[in-house]
Amino acid sequence: MPADIRNRSTISHADVTALNFVRSSTPYVFRRHFRQGLRSHIMEILDPTHVEVEKTGKMVAGVRCFSKATPHRMFRIFRGRLKTLENALFEIGRVKIVERYLAPDFMARSTECIVDYRGPEGRDLMLCGFQEYVAGEILDPWTILGAADLLPALYETFGCQDSPLTLSKDNWIETVREKGSRFITKVKLMISEAGHIPDLAGAGNLIITASGGIRLVDINNISGVSMDPSIHLDEKGYPVCDKSIEALALIEEKILGRPVDMKADIYKWFLDPNRRRALKAKEALFWKRQAGN
Ligand SMILES: Nc1ncnc2c1ncn2[C@@H]1O[C@H](COP(=O)(O)OP(=O)(O)O)[C@@H](O)[C@H]1O
Ligand SMILES: [Mg+2]
């Protein structure tokens, strides 16, 4: 018997349609997305005719073109175990907080569902989501260069794709700055008013779109923000709240092209040099454990 779906390293269309809560006669094709994280299985939901065109190509001005099928939606299966229904509802409650501040412009909306999964170990609650698909390039706070290099480089990447950009490079950069500034303001409001922050630190969690938008796609690791001297770790041992605030500061600095205000409460607290030293030690421990897995 196959292992619990949450423990499998990869899954396929057949694994999804074999799930007790998915109709086996679904007309859609489920395909593993080319980007994956640690916490979820991310599956594209595709129209079979689009998959066919992707394989056989179509003639455009006498040339056979093979363009990638665009997902209707993404199907995500959260790998984490939900101990109780209350736990599951609590997680969904946190997603609602993020929605209140970031939807619809700055996040990929998701219909979150708690399902009764029948797996090899019996019945269990599982968290799934049907999420909007966001096309674009990853905005990685840890590798972004100076603002002057980051945005033109991203613009060039889009220029190579088959959907042509409608904005000139200068207008696109201006749009990213304007939307980025609104995104940062909303995240800061979520921190100050609702005391929560999504995971801005994880690989691929933020996507920058061809029209210059910034959207959060990973909504499964939202943490409470408190000015507590101890550094909070998530269930994987990662100091996600501190790292997300550090990521926010980097995005602010790189996209807006100016240093952050170190007198602002959150930055003063979380970016304090002594705290940063302690954070580095926690982070090193996390990566050491990851390497050992
Ligand atoms: N709705 C989506 N649209 C486009 N890409 C997505 C979407 N959801 C996830 N991805 C991509 O899949 C990868 C893993 O997704 P993520 O939500 O970060 O999963 P995890 O919870 O495992 O960290 C990321 O690189 C992300 O960019
Ligand atoms: Mg992620």
Side-chain angles (χ1 to χ4, degrees), residues 188-201:
K188 286 181 177 170
L189 267 181
M190 191 191 316
I191 298 170
S192 62
E193 291 180 359
H196 280 82
I197 189 166
D199 178 1
L200 303 179

Side-chain angles (χ1 to χ4, degrees), residues 36-40 76 199 201-205 217-221:
Q36 297 283 323
L38 293 176
R39 282 196 159 68
S40 328
R76 33 171 74 240
D199 178 1
N205 291 0
V217 291
D218 187 342
I219 51 169
N220 285 140
N221 194 12

Side-chain angles (χ1 to χ4, degrees), residues 85-202:
L85 182 60
E86 283 67 37
N87 279 159
L89 293 171
F90 183 73
E91 282 307 318
I92 293 179
R94 287 187 153 176
V95 175
K96 297 278 167 216
I97 296 176
V98 173
E99 264 180 10
R100 210 159 67 227
Y101 289 90
L102 299 186
D105 292 355
F106 301 109
M107 72 181 283
R109 261 212 161 113
S110 176
T111 304
E112 298 287 287
C113 324
I114 302 165
V115 296
D116 182 21
Y117 168 58
R118 267 172 251 156
E121 296 148 33
R123 298 167 78 137
D124 197 10
L125 295 177
M126 192 161 85
L127 186 62
C128 296
F130 289 95
Q131 190 179 25
E132 264 178 86
Y133 166 66
V134 180
E137 292 301 318
I138 287 174
L139 175 64
D140 181 1
W142 312 110
T143 54
I144 52 181
L145 310 163
D149 306 322
L150 158 78
L151 299 180
L154 273 169
Y155 183 87
E156 300 306 338
T157 328
F158 284 115
C160 302
Q161 291 182 355
D162 52 3
S163 65
L165 283 168
T166 49
L167 294 171
S168 73
K169 190 191 269 186
D170 287 348
N171 285 342
W172 187 81
I173 292 174
E174 198 42 50
T175 308
V176 174
R177 290 223 159 103
E178 187 261 317
K179 291 188 178 172
S181 163
R182 279 173 45 220
F183 170 76
I184 291 158
T185 305
K186 300 254 180 184
V187 174
K188 286 181 177 170
L189 267 181
M190 191 191 316
I191 298 170
S192 62
E193 291 180 359
H196 280 82
I197 189 166
D199 178 1
L200 303 179

Side-chain angles (χ1 to χ4, degrees), residues 212-229:
I214 295 180
R215 299 182 77 192
L216 174 76
V217 291
D218 187 342
I219 51 169
N220 285 140
N221 194 12
I222 300 163
S223 41
V225 182
S226 62
M227 299 214 183
D228 177 344

